[in-house]
Amino acid sequence: MSVLCKVDGKEFKDEKSLHLALRGYGLNKEKYYHAYYPKKDLLTGETINFKTKEQYLNSDFNDKNNMKKWLKEQPIEKAQEYCKQLLIKRKESKNLIYSPTQVELRTIMSPSIIFYNKIFKDYYDVCSTVGLENKFIHPNSIGDNFQNKLSSKDTIYIDTREQSWLKFNNPFEIKTLSFGDYACSNDNCGCFIERKSLSDFISTLSVKNFDRFRNEIDKAQKNNSYLVVIVEEKLSSALSFQYLPHISKKIKATPEYIFHNVRSLIQEYSNLQFLFVDGRDEMKRAIESIFASKCFYSKVDLQLAYDLKFL
């Protein structure tokens, strides 16, 4: 589709051609969009920072703190309408089928499900009104389903390839698993859990390994199995992994790229969840709670349950 240059009205065959031609006008993309598509932070009035065209044109704030402050200052009806429109725009621009999960919302410029539930009675009801399909139940329905303990008769299976395996209180057995790193002998509707350090997670979602990981999810789906990818790092830290001292500076992938892939997979597969927890002890506890919940884990947004301290 052809595009017009705002500088002189010249027509280009596509945006890539326009962006290449900007040098001839003494402009780069940032200067061009700032000059001809001015956008201001709704809270501060400052110019929106430019990273990409899509990010710039779809941003109303420079960071989430500004967004949260602005929303809290608005009448409830205005805050509700703004948040509802965010869902509608994302549904249309990304062709979403499912209601965005807690991981999805926390990794984009959007309020979390927790905030939605504060200003609306039910986030999932709002999603239904805009034509999104809900995978999960309201967090008020979680109750104590994650507080159960594994039976002493339940055995945790650890994959033979798992090199830094967790030590559980239950009996365990090293065996070859079809998927993931951990499974359990109890009836849990085919739950397999894949443990990731943050470095492993970044590597898995990078260009080199992404297709291989997608193939693993496909195989799990065909086998009627459910895959939970649990990362031993808080989501807030993972979103800024390039600044963490224990992450190699040689990694070229950006958080924006990695979490774009995460969001794509969450929308594509109904048998997949990502969960970010605060360290190995929390990971061990969360895995035991997920297995002890039997099949309940698949009805719940696990990151939301964790953030609310239900999990």
Side-chain angles (χ1 to χ4, degrees), residues 20-271:
L20 289 173
L22 290 178
R23 301 171 188 170
Y25 299 104
L27 297 170
N28 56 25
K29 284 191 287 187
E30 179 178 356
K31 291 180 179 178
Y32 175 75
Y33 284 103
H34 278 166
Y36 295 98
Y37 297 87
K39 293 205 68 179
K40 304 292 183 181
D41 186 302
L42 292 180
L43 179 73
T44 65
E46 297 173 341
T47 298
I48 296 292
N49 297 327
F50 184 92
K51 294 180 181 178
T52 66
K53 177 195 171 186
E54 181 184 17
Q55 162 270 327
Y56 176 73
L57 294 180
N58 288 292
S59 295
D60 292 318
F61 304 94
N62 275 323
D63 58 55
K64 279 200 171 187
N65 287 330
N66 287 358
M67 178 188 65
K68 291 176 183 177
K69 289 178 183 178
W70 183 85
L71 284 169
K72 289 177 180 178
E73 291 176 357
Q74 306 311 306
I76 186 66
E77 295 82 5
K78 186 172 183 179
Q80 287 176 333
E81 182 59 24
Y82 181 84
C83 291
K84 186 174 182 178
Q85 287 301 316
L86 284 180
L87 287 174
I88 292 172
K89 291 176 183 177
R90 187 153 188 86
K91 173 181 179 288
E92 293 175 348
S93 65
K94 301 297 181 181
N95 296 315
L96 299 190
I97 296 174
Y98 300 110
S99 305
T101 63
Q102 180 78 337
V103 167
E104 288 174 83
L105 293 184
R106 285 189 58 191
T107 58
I108 60 174
M109 187 66 75
S110 169
S112 69
I113 294 178
I114 295 172
F115 186 87
Y116 270 96
N117 280 332
K118 285 181 180 178
I119 64 172
F120 293 99
K121 186 176 181 180
D122 188 337
Y123 166 72
Y124 295 118
D125 281 349
V126 179
C127 289
S128 293
T129 64
V130 302
L132 289 163
E133 182 180 336
N134 293 317
K135 291 182 183 178
F136 305 119
I137 61 174
H138 191 283
N140 288 348
S141 304
I142 294 175
D144 60 358
N145 282 279
F146 288 114
Q147 305 309 313
N148 299 322
K149 300 294 183 182
L150 282 169
S151 166
S152 59
K153 298 179 181 179
D154 294 330
T155 299
I156 292 180
Y157 302 126
I158 303 173
D159 187 67
T160 53
R161 292 160 296 184
E162 170 72 322
Q163 296 181 349
S164 182
W165 48 273
L166 300 163
K167 295 181 181 179
F168 299 96
N169 296 320
N170 276 64
F172 68 90
E173 180 182 336
I174 307 295
K175 60 184 294 186
T176 300
L177 299 180
S178 301
F179 325 99
D181 301 307
Y182 300 94
C184 186
S185 63
N186 68 355
D187 180 16
N188 54 48
C189 299
C191 182
F192 291 83
I193 295 178
E194 184 152 333
R195 179 197 66 83
K196 297 288 185 188
S197 67
L198 183 55
S199 294
D200 292 336
F201 164 74
I202 296 167
S203 176
T204 299
L205 275 297
S206 297
V207 175
K208 184 178 179 181
N209 297 312
F210 185 66
D211 287 342
R212 184 189 308 167
F213 181 52
R214 183 193 294 276
N215 289 337
E216 182 177 0
I217 305 168
D218 280 327
K219 290 178 183 177
Q221 188 175 57
K222 291 174 182 176
N223 194 56
N224 295 318
S225 298
Y226 202 103
L227 191 62
V228 177
V229 179
I230 183 166
V231 183
E232 53 185 83
E233 190 79 52
K234 293 186 294 184
L235 181 52
S236 56
S237 298
L239 283 166
S240 302
F241 64 71
Q242 70 272 42
Y243 302 115
L244 297 178
H246 56 284
I247 299 300
S248 172
K249 302 306 177 185
K250 295 181 180 179
I251 292 176
K252 296 181 180 179
T254 64
E256 289 79 13
Y257 176 81
I258 295 299
F259 283 98
H260 166 78
N261 286 344
V262 168
R263 293 189 295 269
S264 296
L265 292 174
I266 290 172
Q267 283 292 320
E268 185 176 352
Y269 295 97
S270 58
N271 66 319

